[in-house]
Amino acid sequence: MTVSKMTWRPQYRSSKFRHVFGKAATKESCYDGVPITRSVQDNNFCAVNPRFLAVITECAGGGAFLVLSVHHTGKIDPHHPRVSGHRGNVLDIKWNPFNDYCIASCSEDATVKVWEIPPHGVLKNITVPWKELQGHSRRVGLIEWHPTANNILFSTAYDYQVMIWNLDCPEQVIKNPVRTISHHTDVVLSMSFNTDGSLFATTCKDRKVRLMEPRSGNLLQEANCKTHKASKVLILGNMKMLLTAGTSRWNDRQIALWDQDDLSVPLLEENLDGSSGVLFPFYDPDTHMLYLAGKGDGNIRYYEISSEKPYIHFLTEYRSHMPQKGMGVMPKRGLDVSSCEVFRFYKLVTIKSLIEPLSMIVPRRSESYQEDIYPMTAGNRSALTAEEWLSGIDKGPVLMSLKPGSQIADSCSEMKGLSSSLDARRSQSRPGLLQLAYIQDKLETKEDGGCTDDGRSRTPMSNGEDLALCSPPRTENELRLKFHKQQEEIRRLRELLNQRDVRIKQLELEIKNIKNSQSSQSSL
């Protein structure tokens, strides 16, 4: 008699991110005493880049937001200068992905304003914007930058319009958007772009999910699912899928996954819990990880997304007793790769007037750079100008490596030619600036190792660092930033010279003392 053996083995998924855990910052690394806005708008109220943290604050008589250096942790001065040019409450803020010193804000006063932040931070109240966009007839609730084209901004308001703005124009006040999209019959709740910005999706209060071409404004797909009321939407990179977060027919919080080419029926619906707070979804296309943070919750769930069934794989959950009102997210180029950090939230805790950084970390024993969890990612260079994008060109993002010390090559001779012509123009407009530029170029050559033997200029490309320091400035803002850097270098050089003068005097005194002692000994 033969016995057939039945082998049972649990089906484990192999995943590098199975054990990702959340690590909250210490109290010294938090931002304490921040008067976070009491607005009931379902936005994040916070925006972060590798240099600055911006948060919408509560204030009387108009709207304002606070801009802090990311290193300015600890107790915040209650009288810290603010950006306060709006006449109504600020509802949303977003940093320009290609300029760490440029931020856009929208408000109940029906305007969108774009601000230039000084390189040294906000030392006095800023009330005059770089650009003011006037076109909406009611309060503007949401803004988004185009992911690959420079100076293209999207805004949507309670007039149900989505407007596209080109900031590459000489006017300070722009009254005519380049495109107005009018497919919505109610308030737009969220917007999301695909990787190259050729498609964008919206959710609306009329319960419909729409997929559109941003340039033409054509409506490609429309989803109207009676069992799922979507409030937030994300296009999942290049996976040809959409994810929406909202509520089910029974008011349970729910996420749904959709095929980008067919929005008639969702691929998957998953109920989470019966809480009432809005779900904020965040997606990392490099790791294919999805994070769900509920408004008023203390926990954050995270999942891994795959292109095959069952599509969504629950990993684990970060738990905390402090509820979040909104969340800012650090771009990948600002993460700490030495500690295997793959995502970083900035959690707004209203009850404690606190902003708490929260790092998502992949546990690894090795302290060296982990190449498998940091693929090439979108950097801070635009792939297109505004005119190129408006003319019909689509390009994916310019990728960069997160490896410390990784480099990108540029033509040294071309850079020198462009910078010399620019220096000539600058020296005519500001006497003495040519000498500053010359000193700066010498310093950069010394620090960056100059040009290599093959005639290529190499520029560091690490986290939080400037890319292409030797590239000529293309805009007035970049020129101003370079000038400030030159001033800082001049100040540093003067300090070095002063220190050397003091040292020389000390040595002269020592020599004099030695000579005196020798002469006194010889006389004896």
Side-chain angles (χ1 to χ4, degrees):
M1 177 176 159
T2 59
V3 179
S4 60
K5 291 184 179 178
M6 294 182 65
T7 59
W8 180 86
R9 290 179 183 173
Q11 296 297 311
Y12 290 117
R13 279 184 65 255
S14 175
S15 170
K16 291 176 278 194
F17 307 105
R18 177 185 297 280
H19 302 293
V20 169
F21 66 95
K23 182 180 179 182
T26 60
K27 190 175 181 182
E28 295 76 24
S29 301
C30 295
Y31 307 82
D32 196 8
V34 181
I36 300 165
T37 179
R38 296 194 190 97
S39 171
V40 294
Q41 190 87 0
D42 290 328
N43 286 339
N44 287 313
F45 304 121
C46 181
V48 195
N49 68 28
R51 296 180 187 275
F52 297 112
L53 165 72
V55 58
I56 301 172
T57 59
E58 190 66 24
C59 66
F65 59 94
L66 205 60
V67 175
L68 305 168
S69 166
V70 288
H71 306 297
H72 185 180
T73 53
K75 192 76 175 174
I76 306 300
D77 181 1
H79 302 294
H80 191 284
R82 305 182 189 195
V83 182
S84 53
H86 284 286
R87 296 186 303 277
N89 290 332
V90 177
L91 300 180
D92 195 17
I93 49 175
K94 295 279 168 45
W95 287 104
N96 185 335
F98 312 118
N99 184 351
D100 288 345
Y101 303 97
C102 177
I103 188 170
S105 62
C106 63
S107 165
E108 290 181 351
D109 63 10
T111 65
V112 178
K113 297 188 179 185
V114 185
W115 310 85
E116 287 182 329
I117 305 300
H120 44 72
V122 180
L123 300 181
K124 62 179 181 179
N125 285 344
I126 299 177
T127 56
V128 180
W130 173 53
K131 300 282 183 186
E132 182 172 336
L133 316 180
Q134 300 175 357
H136 290 287
S137 59
R138 298 185 65 188
R139 58 179 171 168
V140 187
L142 193 63
I143 48 176
E144 290 287 348
W145 293 91
H146 192 278
T148 60
N150 195 26
N151 284 336
I152 294 288
L153 185 65
F154 288 66
S155 65
T156 178
Y158 280 66
D159 56 9
Y160 312 156
Q161 310 285 328
V162 177
M163 294 186 178
I164 307 173
W165 306 88
N166 177 12
L167 305 183
D168 276 348
C169 62
E171 295 86 12
Q172 195 264 334
V173 178
I174 306 173
K175 296 189 177 181
N176 298 313
V178 294
R179 171 75 59 190
T180 301
I181 299 172
S182 307
H183 295 300
H184 302 90
T185 60
D186 211 324
V187 179
V188 177
L189 300 175
S190 72
M191 294 188 286
S192 176
F193 293 89
N194 67 343
T195 306
D196 63 2
S198 59
L199 298 172
F200 86 111
T202 62
T203 52
C204 182
K205 217 169 180 180
D206 62 8
R207 295 184 174 226
K208 293 182 180 179
V209 181
R210 293 173 174 87
L211 187 66
M212 291 169 279
E213 285 182 345
R215 248 189 317 260
S216 63
N218 293 337
L219 182 64
L220 303 178
Q221 296 271 335
E222 189 174 88
N224 188 9
C225 183
K226 293 180 181 178
T227 60
H228 177 74
K229 182 182 177 183
S231 60
K232 301 289 180 184
V233 64
L234 284 178
I235 299 182
L236 302 181
N238 287 326
M239 294 186 75
K240 299 254 180 183
M241 290 192 289
L242 274 71
L243 181 124
T244 56
T247 55
S248 70
R249 181 181 289 175
W250 315 110
N251 269 350
D252 289 331
R253 290 200 295 193
Q254 185 183 63
I255 55 174
L257 203 63
W258 309 77
D259 184 351
Q260 185 176 293
D261 300 322
D262 180 17
L263 297 183
S264 57
V265 179
L267 296 171
L268 176 76
E269 290 179 339
E270 184 172 327
N271 290 352
L272 300 179
D273 54 37
S275 299
S276 57
V278 172
L279 281 172
F280 295 111
F282 303 93
Y283 179 66
D284 181 1
D286 299 334
T287 60
H288 302 296
M289 284 184 68
L290 171 74
Y291 302 86
L292 294 177
K295 187 176 180 180
D297 296 357
N299 62 331
I300 299 173
R301 299 176 176 90
Y302 29 108
Y303 304 78
E304 201 169 357
I305 307 290
S306 65
S307 55
E308 299 172 355
K309 287 185 178 180
Y311 304 116
I312 298 179
H313 309 274
F314 177 72
L315 293 174
T316 185
E317 182 177 13
Y318 168 79
R319 294 179 179 273
S320 167
H321 296 295
M322 295 196 292
Q324 60 247 4
K325 182 183 179 72
M327 307 285 274
V329 173
M330 175 66 79
K332 292 298 280 283
R333 58 193 171 88
L335 299 182
D336 180 12
V337 295
S338 62
S339 63
C340 296
E341 184 183 33
V342 291
F343 215 75
R344 190 192 302 164
F345 293 103
Y346 285 76
K347 180 175 165 180
L348 306 188
V349 185
T350 314
I351 57 172
K352 291 194 172 184
S353 298
L354 188 76
I355 303 176
E356 180 188 51
L358 173 64
S359 299
M360 295 295 167
I361 293 173
V362 179
R364 293 283 173 96
R365 288 183 180 176
S366 172
E367 294 182 0
S368 61
Y369 176 73
Q370 305 293 306
E371 208 154 341
D372 59 324
I373 60 174
Y374 295 116
M376 296 288 282
T377 189
N380 62 347
R381 284 184 179 178
S382 58
L384 298 165
T385 64
E387 288 75 17
E388 286 173 339
W389 182 76
L390 291 169
S391 68
I393 303 172
D394 287 317
K395 274 187 185 176
V398 177
L399 301 179
M400 65 176 282
S401 170
L402 295 180
K403 186 173 184 178
S406 59
Q407 297 173 339
I408 187 168
D410 283 320
S411 173
C412 191
S413 58
E414 183 184 350
M415 291 296 116
K416 279 187 177 177
L418 287 168
S419 60
S420 62
S421 63
L422 185 76
D423 287 338
R425 290 200 298 274
R426 285 189 290 186
S427 62
Q428 291 169 6
S429 61
R430 293 187 184 181
L433 199 56
L434 183 58
Q435 287 82 351
L436 298 181
Y438 176 77
I439 294 170
Q440 175 70 6
D441 290 340
K442 289 291 180 188
L443 285 164
E444 286 179 358
T445 305
K446 188 177 179 182
E447 289 172 3
D448 299 343
C451 290
T452 54
D453 294 335
D454 59 350
R456 309 292 277 183
S457 166
R458 300 198 175 272
T459 307
M461 208 173 163
S462 58
N463 305 337
E465 299 281 337
D466 282 339
L467 301 182
L469 282 172
C470 64
S471 63
R474 291 170 291 182
T475 64
E476 186 182 347
N477 188 35
E478 288 182 14
L479 182 61
R480 191 179 294 112
L481 297 181
K482 286 231 172 192
F483 176 69
H484 285 303
K485 285 179 186 173
Q486 290 165 358
Q487 295 283 54
E488 185 65 27
E489 290 295 337
I490 294 292
R491 186 190 61 76
R492 191 173 65 82
L493 285 170
R494 281 177 180 157
E495 286 180 358
L496 284 172
L497 284 172
N498 288 335
Q499 290 172 6
R500 285 174 185 170
D501 286 342
V502 171
R503 182 62 181 153
I504 287 169
K505 287 180 180 177
Q506 288 175 346
L507 290 171
E508 285 176 348
L509 285 171
E510 286 178 12
I511 292 169
K512 195 173 180 181
N513 290 334
I514 290 170
K515 283 182 177 178
N516 289 337
S517 62
Q518 285 178 348
S519 61
S520 61
Q521 285 175 3
S522 62
S523 63
L524 290 171

